[in-house]
Amino acid sequence: GKVFTYVAAGVGAAAMATGIILGVAAKSQATTVTSGKATSHADADGYIRRAHGLALGANVAYGVGAAAFVGAGALFFVEGGF
């Protein structure tokens, strides 16, 4: 069957979902700063640092997801049967 194809597609889907979740969390941290809810410069700096870290994690997850989907596409044609 196409076990490895389905595994790669599942990894791709999970990585993309992780990227979305991290991206939403990063946006939430950034919005806290831009909405004026940060109580000090140090507080705002903390939110910005967390937002950057979360955004980096989201970008890495998107890259992993894309690579897994490309791999799944290649495996679809290489693996035999359904």
Side-chain angles (χ1 to χ4, degrees), residues 9-10 19-25 30 34-35 43 46 50-51 53-54 61 63 69 71 77:
I20 290 169
I21 291 166
L22 291 174
V24 168
T34 59
S35 67
D43 192 28
R50 283 189 293 278
L54 290 166
F69 282 138
F77 293 106

Side-chain angles (χ1 to χ4, degrees), residues 9 15 21 24 26 29 31-32 35 46 57 62-63 74 76:
I21 291 166
V24 168
Q29 294 290 311
T31 300
T32 300
S35 67
Y62 291 139
F76 180 82

Side-chain angles (χ1 to χ4, degrees), residues 21-61:
I21 291 166
L22 291 174
V24 168
K27 180 66 175 168
S28 174
Q29 294 290 311
T31 300
T32 300
V33 175
T34 59
S35 67
K37 292 180 183 174
T39 57
S40 67
H41 288 292
D43 192 28
D45 188 53
Y47 282 112
I48 291 169
R49 287 176 188 264
R50 283 189 293 278
H52 284 173
L54 290 166
L56 175 62
N59 290 339
V60 169

Side-chain angles (χ1 to χ4, degrees), residues 1-6 76-77 79-82:
K2 295 190 179 283
V3 174
F4 293 112
T5 299
Y6 298 131
F76 180 82
F77 293 106
E79 283 189 292
F82 282 95

